[in-house]
Structure formats: structure tokens, C-alpha cells
Amino acid sequence: MASLHSVKRWQLSGTDYDATRSETLFSAWTPLSNKTSNRQLFQERTSLVLRWFDLWADGQRKRLLHSLLTRCSGSQLGYCRDLLMETLPVTRVDFTAVLPRFLSLYVMSFLSPRDLCAAARVSWHWRILAEQDCLWADRCVRRGWFLPYAPGEREFGAWKNHYIACVATLDWLAPREAAEQYGTLSRRSAGPTEEEEERRKERKIRQMIKDRLEEEKQISMRSRRAWGTSPKPGRAIGGGAQIGRPPSGLSSRSWSPSVDGEQLSQSLSKPSGALLSFTYRPAPPHATPRIHLPAPTLLLLLSNRVPAYELLLAGAKAGAAVVLYDHRGTLSALATQAERALCGQRARRLGLLAPGGTEEIHLLRDRSLSERTLLTPDHREFWEKLCGWVEPAEDGGGIDLFCPLAASASGVAVIRTLSALTGREVRAPAGLATGSFQSILSEWSDGSVGGGLWNQPASPALRFVHESVLQSWCRQARWMEDALEELRVLLEPRLQRLRLQARGRALGHFLWERIRLEDLCVSEDLSEALTEGLSALAREEDARLRTRPLEFLAAFLSRWSEEEEEGGDGRSLSRTPEPPRVSVSAVCSDGPRELALPSCLQAALDWRGAVVRELHRSEGVYLGMLAAVLKVYQEPLTAAVNSGRAILSLADVQVVLAPVAQILELSKAFQADLHARLQQWGGDQCVGDVFLKLCSKLRVYSSYLNNYTTALHAIDKCRETKPPFRAFLKRSDRTLATHMLSLQELLLCPVWRIQEYVTLLQALSLHTPPDHPDRTHLDSALDALLRFRGLVQELKRNSERERLMEETQQMIRGCPNLAEGNRRLVITQDAALLRSRDDRIPDSLRTYEQVSDVGLFLFNDALVLTRRNVRHTPFTPAHRSAHTFLASVALASLVVRAITHSRYVSHAFVLEGPRRSWVCATDREEERGHFLSVLRSAIDSALTGGQ
């Protein structure tokens, strides 16, 4: 090695190399310390290698690249990979050329017929895939369009051509055209005419012919070969039947000689409601397609404004299709959802479960189903289209409305009009049970025009939802909604406490209303025996007996009874203990036993008596809650004030609890009058004057409602500032004496009771004949209660409006005062603020970049834009949104226009104010359409109000 070094240094001695200056050691003339010389020499050698590389052949270049890549490290190979991905991106590869054929067909199965025709124009390979029979056969079969021949072995696109031919010749009538031709709207004749009889016979004959043809087509389709196999002509399949080209000379060209994708798009552009949306369910691979028409299903339309709708979704039966829809949507969107759920079938029954009362159903936020709105054009078109997918009345089809419409005259009018409009049987609860949605489990109308009652053991609602789930939901819907609302907002932190509250309410209801724990009395002998037995169990030294306390107590009581009998002192426990004695208050709460119905037949005949008995029973429960407020809260607080150790001042006690005492006295007198009338009940008995007496003193409820908000604020303020009152509420709230409710929840009972009065009075008025002596008084009382209920609803809306305004004011930083005049919040929407570099290009052709996230707060007179900052919480997927005031525009000077969807921008719209404009975009098209429709309505209202 030394000789080699000396030789190397001898060779370098004749050059200008200086080892002390350049510090180059065996570097092949590449300086290490001199960066300028190193860079220059590297560039010269790189250009030399590239010059050689250009002169080499393709094989030599590949060998050099392979040698270089095998010598690279991991980071260098990663750099090469990124460079290749940037130069030749893989995302531009045709998925049909990469995926297997069955996966490509599965992807295309989710396309609509119009999209399949458009995909067939992409390339020859896409056309082969888009015209496969497996994509079009199911679409034809679900609509009853069967191919009249067996396609040949090499015949291509037969089912697609048949589908296009059927769509091109589809004879479709709009609902109004059908009404003019057939008279299917609300016009009902006295009896069937000769023309209607002929039409009915003709329909029966057509149905028989259609059934025969379907049976023949099913037999022919079962014998058809599976897709993907290519048997030779004459090859036996299954039971030996040979498949070949049928003797008929029909082919696909004979059916649609000149119909292509454009003609199909034009055909589908017609307002054909049955073809707007449908779902495709592909058959399992390598399986012979079989025609199976399932039995008609049950369709339940469920609003997301229904309390605790999650429980109903979990308890839906297997044969029921549940459509959970957004209450902020439109009637056309709801009809589309129902059509998708049915998948081309016809439903046996149609159910509707939405918030409502005895006069109307709140179907959507701005669409209520009532006697006044049912005959409007949009409602008529919606119900005609919806009931076109329901079986006729003679086949058992009908509509079930889960609101007590049968309890009022206006509700019965809605049922009659809807039945006449759709030609279907319509049923609704009679409203003979009070509480949260408990009328669903009571008697239902029989669906006739007369509006009678249908008293059968099984409620129509049990067809859709399991009985145990429905009963639990009906009884606890209001409390479940409170728990779920808090759970949706706060989730994990308060989950444990809400679970205990819900369980405590259920347990308290059972112990207080069913078992009546406070009214149970135990005999003195039994108490003494149990006390001695428990003492003996505590002194027992045998561990085996202490671990089995029930057996020990049974043996002890047996010995005790024997000793008492032998002693002969008159006490005996051997005989059966006396049943628990119930106090008089327990009997009075449910009414005297002689008032009970003697038989089911009497209950079916005396509906006025059933309503009055339910009113008397529920009034007893209501009185118990009001009495609990005074007994548990007012009496201890007043006693503390009188003793000089006040928990609350006397003024605060009067503000919070004094109106409850007045309502309690009024309700006691009302229940006493009802009790007296029930003791002498008969067919001509009157209770309308009792209601009029109650309505004459509704000012007590008015003063209570006016003081209700002040009382809640006083409770919250005293609870925060006075620790003794906070400890008192902690001891008293949610006990058996308060029915497992808090003070705030008990103060809400009078508000709920007003609605129950209206429901029961409407049911009583409905079943009172016009010539009854009580009719006039009932109508007057009902009108008074309806007006008072409107006042309560107006107070509730004002309170909700003020709460939303306060929350919005606190949410937006730097925002001016929003609480001005009669301003209210209509809707909020999150969007992205866009900016374009060139304003001379049309909107749909511009390229946009997102500037920031914005929040749109729409009020009834102005639109507020805020800058929205999203902040994510570390280690959790949660995030928070902070809003900063950006601008505000009066609706009277605002212009809005949508931007056409293109490849450069989607879901965008322009807001033009007096001085500047904003281009915004939402995440989904549904959000943009909904927000723009509400915004245009608000602008029209602002302009109309300004004029």
C-alpha cells in the first residue's frame, strides 16, 4: 500500500496539485474543498455523460438507468418516483382498462339511462360496456317491459333498444290532464255512471291480460341463459331445455330502427314522474336472473322534526320502508325520496308521521296540511303523484295520518277532502288520549267519509313500528326529545347525567302512577315481624345463611307465625297478609270506580263519556303536579321566611310560585264540576258550561304566561347568587314527590295543559250532535281556547326569536346591534367566498379561487356576511367556528343570481349589493337551491313590505 501511495504521489508531482491547499485524496481530479472548481467540474462531466447518453441505443440507455437506480438510496428513489408521478400521472388512466370487467359493469350500474347513453359515446370500449344486457334488463323488467323474444347468441344491445323503444312511445298524462279526462280530482258523483262501469270492466280485463303475460314472461325469463356464458346453439341448460334463436324473425332493429342516445335523452326530459329517479340493485355474479316481484310494502314518511325519531327508525318493521326527510325541503323533493324508496313497487299503505295537531299537520316548514291548503295546486299535485304509488282502496290501500285529525271538525274535513282527492282510504287517531303522541295508540277513524271510529285491538301504527318501541316512544317522546337535544349539542360530557334523568323519570312515573308507593300501607304485625327478622339476620353468624337473606326471612316468618299461634295472643301471621290498603286520594285521582265503563260495547257507543272520563283522569294527574310545586317548594320556602332563616325572599317566592297557587285553585274547581257531572252522566248531560266557566277565568293563565319568563330568570339568578337556594333545589328536584321532574319542568305543565284542553274539547265537540243542548256551549268554549292557544304559540315564537337573536349577536364578533325593530333570523348558511382574476369573462367560464370561508345570516330585512374561521380541537375530530362581521346588505337593494354549473365552478351564486358584489359557493347543490329559494322569498317579502 505504501508503494502504491508513493507511485500516486509521484504521478501527481508533475502537475499543479497542492495537497495542503486543495485537500484532495484519490478524488479522480474532483476538488472537495474548492466548491467553485467542484461545481464546474461536475457540470463538465454531466454534459459529457449526457452527450454520450444521446448517442447510445435504447437498450444501452435502459441498462445505464438500471445501474444508476440500483445504486440509489431510499430517499433518491423516492425523488425519482415523485418526478415520474408528476411527469406521467396515473390518475388519467381509464378505469375500464384497469379494473376487471365485472367491476366496471358494477360502477356503470349506478348510472341513469341518460348517463349510460352519454357514456356510450366516449369510446368503442365504453359503448360495449354501456350496452350490456345486464345493465338494461332489470330496468325494463321493473317497469313491466318484457322482451318479446330471446336474444341471439351474438345479438348485442337488445334490452337497451327495447328500453328506448318503450320510453319513446310512452303515453303519459299529467295529473291535471288526467283529471280533465277521467275526473279523478275532488269531484265525487252520487253513484257510478255507465261510463265508469265500462271503464272499471275494461281495467279488470286489462289486468287479467297483464297477469297472463307476466306469467308467460316469467317462464321464458327463467329459461334464459345466465349472462357471461356462451353456450352453443342447441346446448341443454338445467332441465334439458335447449336454448337457441327463437323461430320468430324479430330482432332488436325491428323494434327501434332509429332511436339512439339523443332520442332517449329527449324522451327522459319529459315530465315523467315515474322515471325521474330509481335505484338499481345488481344481481349476484354468475347467477341466472330471475323475475321476482315482491309483495307491496308499507311506506312511512317520517319528519326529522319528530321528537326522538332515531328510536322509530330503529324499531321499524321489516316490511316497512321508512323515509326520513328534512322538514326544510320541498314537496317535490319529498316525492322523489318516496319514489326512490319504493323502487318501482306499489305500497300497500302510506303513513305520515310529522308534528301537528287536531287541525293541521306541519308537513314541511312552510307547507302545512290543513283544510285551507289541501286544495292548493302544489298540494293537489303532490298527493296525486304520491298516491299513484299506493294500492287502490278496494285492494286494501290507504293513508294513515299519525296526527289526531279525527278529533276536530276541521280535521275530519281534511280527511274527507284528502280521501276524495286521492281516492284512497284515509285514517287518523281520534285524540282520546292525552300526552306526547299517545293518541297514536288510541282509537282511529275507520276511513269512511262519515268519520266514524275504528275500534280494533291492533292500532294501524303497529303495522309500521314494533309495539314495544312505539309504546315507549309515545309515552316518553317529550322527555326523549329534551334528552336527545342536549345530547346532540354536548354529547359526551353530560351523557351520564342525561341517562340518569331519563331513567329516573321512567322509574318515578312507574312508582308514582302505577304502584303509588306513598299510598301503600303495611300492617303493624307485618312491620314488627320484618323488623325482628332483619335484626336476626344481622346477628346471624352463619355466612351461608347471610348470603341467602330471602330464604332466611321466609324461615323466620314461618317460625314467628307458629310461635304466635301457640302463644294465642291474638296475633297470627300464618294467614295471608292483608292486601295493601290504598288511601282515598288514590281513588280520587283516577275517579270513582262506579264511573268505569261496564263493557267495551258501552265504550264504543258513548264517546262523549269516554272523552270526559279521560279529561277527568288527566286533570287529576295535572293537579298532582301543581300540588307538588306548592308542597315541595312553596311551603318549605315560606316556612323558612317565617322562621327568620330565609332561603329566598318573600318577594321572590311570590314571583315564582304565587301564580301556580291560583291555577291550582281554578283546576280544583274545574275537576270538582267534572266529577259531579260524571256521577250523573247520561246521554243528555252537558259539560260545555263547565268549560265556559273555565274559559271565563283564563286571565289566571294569561298572568301566569306573562310572568313565566320572569319566574325562570328569577330562579336562575337566585340559584347562582344564593347557595342555600341552590342546595334546596338539589335536595328537592327530581324526587318521587315531584314526579322525577325539576321545578322548571313543573312550571311548564300549564303550557302543555292548554293544548290538551283544546284536543279533548275538539274530540268532545266532534262527537256531540248538532241538536244536542251542549253544542252551543262547547263551540263557544272551543273558540275561546283556540284563541288562547294562539296567544301561547305567539309567546313561544317570540321567545324563540329573541333567543336566536341573542345567540347570533354573541356569535358574530364586531357585529352592530341586531335587536332592532321586528327583526328575526330566517336561515344561516356556510359558504366559500370566491374571487376571479378577470371580470370580463362570463361567470360560467371564469376560473375562481377561494378567498375565505364565509357565513351568511339571512334576516327578514337584511343579509349579514361574516368571515368564518374554523378551528379544530387537538386530538379530537371536533372543530369550532368563529364569525367576524364582514358586511351587511339590506334585502331591498340586494340582487341574487345563480351561476351555471360548469367544469370551472359549481354550486356558486352572486350577491350584488349597491357598492360591491360577492361570489359564494356551497358544498352541495341542495344547499344552494334551498338557500337561494329562501333568500328570494325574503327579498320579495321585503320589497312588498316596503311598498
Side-chain angles (χ1 to χ4, degrees):
M1 294 297 294
S3 60
L4 292 176
H5 286 204
S6 61
V7 172
K8 195 68 176 179
R9 292 182 180 276
W10 175 79
Q11 292 177 353
L12 297 176
S13 61
T15 64
D16 57 352
Y17 170 75
D18 188 359
T20 60
R21 182 162 49 87
S22 62
E23 298 180 0
T24 303
L25 182 60
F26 305 121
S27 62
W29 291 95
T30 302
L32 296 178
S33 60
N34 193 341
K35 296 183 180 179
T36 305
S37 300
N38 191 321
R39 189 183 304 108
Q40 180 180 1
L41 190 59
F42 176 77
Q43 292 176 356
E44 293 175 356
R45 292 179 179 176
T46 303
S47 61
L48 179 62
V49 172
L50 292 178
R51 193 179 303 113
W52 291 344
F53 187 84
D54 294 337
L55 299 176
W56 288 341
D58 182 68
Q60 294 174 338
R61 293 181 180 183
K62 291 180 180 178
R63 286 198 296 270
L64 176 62
L65 292 176
H66 181 268
S67 301
L68 291 176
L69 292 177
T70 53
R71 293 173 179 268
C72 293
S73 61
S75 60
Q76 295 167 354
L77 290 175
Y79 173 78
C80 295
R81 180 197 60 194
D82 297 339
L83 184 61
L84 290 175
M85 288 290 294
E86 183 179 357
T87 307
L88 297 174
V90 187
T91 56
R92 298 181 182 177
V93 176
D94 186 2
F95 75 94
T96 60
V98 178
L99 296 177
R101 180 169 178 171
F102 74 95
L103 288 180
S104 301
L105 291 174
Y106 179 73
V107 172
M108 288 189 174
S109 66
F110 293 97
L111 298 178
S112 62
R114 186 184 303 174
D115 295 335
L116 284 175
C117 293
R121 300 182 183 180
V122 174
S123 62
W124 177 86
H125 183 58
W126 279 48
R127 180 186 177 188
I128 294 298
L129 294 177
E131 294 185 357
Q132 291 293 327
D133 288 345
C134 62
L135 298 178
W136 295 91
D138 187 72
R139 287 173 165 83
C140 294
V141 170
R142 280 187 297 171
R143 288 161 178 78
W145 303 337
F146 298 96
L147 199 63
Y149 67 95
E153 180 181 353
R154 298 184 180 180
E155 187 174 356
F156 180 71
W159 281 97
K160 176 186 176 182
N161 295 331
H162 183 58
Y163 184 91
I164 295 175
C166 293
V167 172
T169 60
L170 185 62
D171 186 13
W172 183 85
L173 291 177
R176 299 192 177 281
E177 297 174 354
E180 294 176 359
Q181 182 174 354
Y182 299 106
T184 57
L185 288 176
S186 58
R187 301 193 302 266
R188 298 180 63 92
S189 58
T193 61
E194 296 181 0
E195 185 178 357
E196 292 178 354
E197 291 291 341
E198 293 178 359
R199 289 176 182 173
R200 187 178 296 106
K201 293 179 181 179
E202 184 179 355
R203 284 197 298 267
K204 290 183 178 180
I205 295 174
R206 288 181 179 178
Q207 186 65 30
M208 293 173 58
I209 296 175
K210 184 179 178 180
D211 295 341
R212 293 283 183 86
L213 290 177
E214 287 181 356
E215 293 178 1
E216 295 177 0
K217 298 305 178 184
Q218 290 179 10
I219 296 173
S220 63
M221 289 297 294
R222 290 193 185 100
S223 61
R224 187 187 174 193
R225 63 181 176 85
W227 176 82
T229 59
S230 56
K232 297 180 180 180
R235 179 180 175 184
I237 296 179
Q242 294 185 353
I243 303 265
R245 188 170 183 85
S248 61
L250 295 176
S251 63
S252 61
R253 295 182 179 179
S254 63
W255 280 89
S256 56
S258 61
V259 179
D260 55 359
E262 295 181 358
Q263 193 168 356
L264 176 60
S265 301
Q266 296 175 1
S267 302
L268 289 179
S269 63
K270 298 178 182 179
S272 177
L275 298 177
L276 287 178
S277 62
F278 48 87
T279 304
Y280 174 74
R281 293 183 176 90
H286 309 293
T288 303
R290 299 180 61 186
I291 300 177
H292 176 66
L293 299 177
T297 58
L298 301 174
L299 179 62
L300 176 61
L301 303 180
L302 179 61
S303 174
N304 63 350
R305 295 299 296 174
V306 171
Y309 63 84
E310 299 89 348
L311 186 62
L312 293 175
L313 287 177
K317 290 188 176 180
V322 183
V323 175
L324 178 64
Y325 67 91
D326 190 357
H327 80 291
R328 302 174 301 174
T330 59
L331 292 176
S332 59
L334 179 56
T336 303
Q337 284 185 269
E339 181 183 6
R340 291 176 180 175
L342 290 175
C343 299
Q345 306 176 22
R346 300 190 72 178
R348 177 77 65 180
R349 303 286 301 184
L350 172 65
L352 176 60
L353 180 51
T358 56
E359 298 175 350
E360 62 179 359
I361 300 176
H362 303 298
L363 186 60
L364 299 172
R365 184 170 61 178
D366 54 350
R367 289 290 186 273
S368 295
L369 179 63
S370 62
E371 185 181 4
R372 179 176 52 86
T373 62
L374 181 56
L375 295 180
T376 56
D378 51 352
H379 272 282
R380 291 165 72 120
E381 184 177 357
F382 169 74
W383 285 105
E384 288 174 358
K385 184 177 181 180
L386 195 63
C387 291
W389 306 321
V390 181
E391 291 289 330
E394 54 268 17
D395 296 337
I399 304 174
D400 297 327
L401 304 177
F402 291 72
C403 285
L405 295 179
S408 64
S410 58
V412 172
V414 173
I415 295 175
R416 295 175 180 175
T417 308
L418 185 59
S419 178
L421 178 65
T422 60
R424 303 297 188 273
E425 180 187 31
V426 182
R427 291 175 178 172
L432 298 183
T434 58
S436 286
F437 295 93
Q438 292 193 27
S439 60
I440 297 177
L441 297 175
S442 65
E443 291 77 8
W444 283 56
S445 61
D446 60 355
S448 62
V449 180
L453 293 180
W454 179 59
N455 190 12
Q456 293 186 4
S459 175
L462 300 181
R463 299 179 179 179
F464 300 89
V465 186
H466 290 283
E467 182 177 3
S468 58
V469 177
L470 185 61
Q471 289 182 354
S472 176
W473 176 80
C474 288
R475 295 192 181 100
Q476 302 290 335
R478 184 177 294 147
W479 307 122
M480 287 180 181
E481 176 63 14
D482 295 340
L484 289 176
E485 283 294 337
E486 295 187 38
L487 185 62
R488 296 187 190 105
V489 177
L490 302 177
L491 292 181
E492 191 66 25
R494 304 182 63 184
L495 179 61
Q496 182 70 16
R497 187 171 67 86
L498 294 176
R499 181 179 64 85
L500 293 176
Q501 288 181 8
R503 185 176 63 184
R505 289 193 183 102
L507 181 61
H509 175 78
F510 178 75
L511 294 177
W512 186 270
E513 300 293 338
R514 300 300 178 187
I515 298 183
R516 302 189 180 278
L517 193 59
E518 289 190 351
D519 297 329
L520 293 180
C521 301
V522 182
S523 63
E524 183 180 355
D525 297 341
L526 183 57
S527 300
E528 182 181 355
L530 289 175
T531 303
E532 293 292 339
L534 292 175
S535 301
L537 179 61
R539 296 190 302 267
E540 181 63 40
E541 298 179 356
D542 192 350
R544 292 178 300 176
L545 295 178
R546 296 184 63 179
T547 56
R548 305 171 72 178
L550 294 180
E551 297 182 2
F552 179 84
L553 287 176
F556 179 83
L557 291 177
S558 299
R559 293 196 304 269
W560 178 281
S561 62
E562 293 176 359
E563 293 176 358
E564 292 298 328
E565 288 181 355
E566 293 177 358
D569 57 353
R571 293 181 301 176
S572 177
L573 295 177
S574 60
R575 61 179 181 273
T576 304
E578 297 179 359
R581 296 193 301 270
V582 183
S583 62
V584 181
S585 60
V587 180
C588 294
S589 61
D590 284 340
R593 297 190 178 276
E594 59 269 11
L595 298 178
L597 295 178
S599 63
C600 297
L601 181 60
Q602 181 179 353
L605 295 177
D606 187 12
W607 291 111
R608 296 185 73 251
V611 174
V612 176
R613 278 185 286 271
E614 173 62 24
L615 178 63
H616 183 267
R617 186 202 64 80
S618 58
E619 190 71 18
V621 177
Y622 176 54
L623 283 175
M625 292 183 179
L626 295 179
V629 175
L630 302 182
K631 180 179 180 182
V632 178
Y633 297 98
Q634 187 181 29
E635 292 180 3
L637 291 176
T638 306
V641 172
N642 297 332
S643 63
R645 293 178 294 179
I647 301 176
L648 281 184
S649 63
L650 185 60
D652 291 335
V653 175
Q654 294 295 327
V655 167
V656 175
L657 302 176
V660 180
Q662 299 176 4
I663 294 180
L664 179 61
E665 295 298 327
L666 179 62
S667 298
K668 284 182 178 179
F670 180 66
Q671 190 195 29
D673 294 339
L674 287 178
H675 183 73
R677 300 298 172 88
L678 280 174
Q679 285 183 336
Q680 302 175 359
W681 184 254
D684 297 333
Q685 186 61 265
C686 298
V687 292
D689 54 341
V690 179
F691 272 103
L692 284 178
K693 182 180 178 181
L694 175 67
C695 294
S696 63
K697 299 180 180 179
L698 284 179
R699 61 180 180 275
V700 177
Y701 279 91
S702 299
S703 61
Y704 177 82
L705 292 175
N706 295 330
N707 185 67
Y708 176 67
T709 305
T710 306
L712 290 183
H713 289 326
I715 293 174
D716 296 336
K717 182 179 179 180
C718 295
R719 184 178 180 276
E720 294 176 359
T721 58
K722 298 180 179 181
F725 183 65
R726 185 185 308 117
F728 172 76
L729 289 181
K730 189 174 182 180
R731 293 191 308 268
S732 304
D733 282 347
R734 296 184 177 90
T735 59
L736 284 178
T738 62
H739 301 260
M740 303 304 295
L741 303 177
S742 63
L743 176 59
Q744 293 85 346
E745 293 168 344
L746 287 172
L747 294 179
L748 193 58
C749 292
V751 181
W752 294 338
R753 189 57 181 170
I754 294 297
Q755 177 60 41
E756 293 177 355
Y757 282 151
V758 172
T759 302
L760 292 171
L761 190 56
Q762 286 175 335
L764 185 61
S765 177
L766 177 66
H767 299 290
T768 301
D771 55 348
H772 196 278
D774 201 19
R775 183 70 184 188
T776 305
H777 291 166
L778 289 178
D779 293 341
S780 302
L782 181 58
D783 292 340
L785 284 176
L786 287 175
R787 289 194 300 269
F788 192 78
R789 187 186 64 174
L791 174 62
V792 175
Q793 293 175 353
E794 183 65 25
L795 292 175
K796 184 177 180 181
R797 285 192 295 267
N798 294 337
S799 177
E800 183 70 16
R801 185 184 308 167
E802 293 175 0
R803 184 184 63 83
L804 288 177
M805 294 298 294
E806 291 178 359
E807 293 178 355
T808 306
Q809 185 75 49
Q810 296 174 1
M811 185 187 305
I812 305 175
R813 293 180 297 184
C815 182
N817 185 21
L818 296 176
E820 296 178 354
N822 196 22
R823 182 175 296 165
R824 66 180 185 277
L825 180 64
V826 180
I827 191 176
T828 61
Q829 178 63 50
D830 295 336
L833 184 62
L834 307 181
R835 180 179 61 187
S836 177
R837 298 185 180 275
D838 194 352
D839 297 338
R840 294 173 296 178
I841 305 176
D843 294 337
S844 59
L845 299 180
R846 295 181 192 173
T847 57
Y848 295 89
E849 62 177 355
Q850 181 174 348
V851 179
S852 63
D853 293 329
V854 294
L856 305 176
F857 294 82
L858 178 61
F859 297 90
N860 60 331
D861 59 346
L863 177 66
V864 176
L865 288 86
T866 63
R867 187 181 302 276
R868 184 168 60 93
N869 298 323
V870 181
R871 299 176 181 177
H872 288 78
T873 306
F875 305 105
T876 61
H879 65 273
R880 283 184 171 183
S881 297
H883 295 265
T884 305
F885 178 76
L886 190 63
S888 62
V889 184
L891 294 183
S893 59
L894 181 65
V895 178
V896 57
R897 55 186 175 87
I899 298 178
T900 306
H901 178 75
S902 66
R903 59 181 299 183
Y904 304 106
V905 64
S906 59
H907 320 320
F909 55 93
V910 181
L911 301 173
E912 296 181 354
R915 298 182 179 180
R916 58 170 300 186
S917 62
W918 300 270
V919 180
C920 304
T922 58
D923 294 337
R924 297 184 302 167
E925 177 62 26
E926 294 81 359
E927 295 179 353
R928 184 186 75 161
H930 177 64
F931 178 74
L932 291 184
S933 63
V934 176
L935 178 58
R936 291 191 179 100
S937 301
I939 292 175
D940 295 340
S941 301
L943 293 176
T944 305
Q947 294 175 358

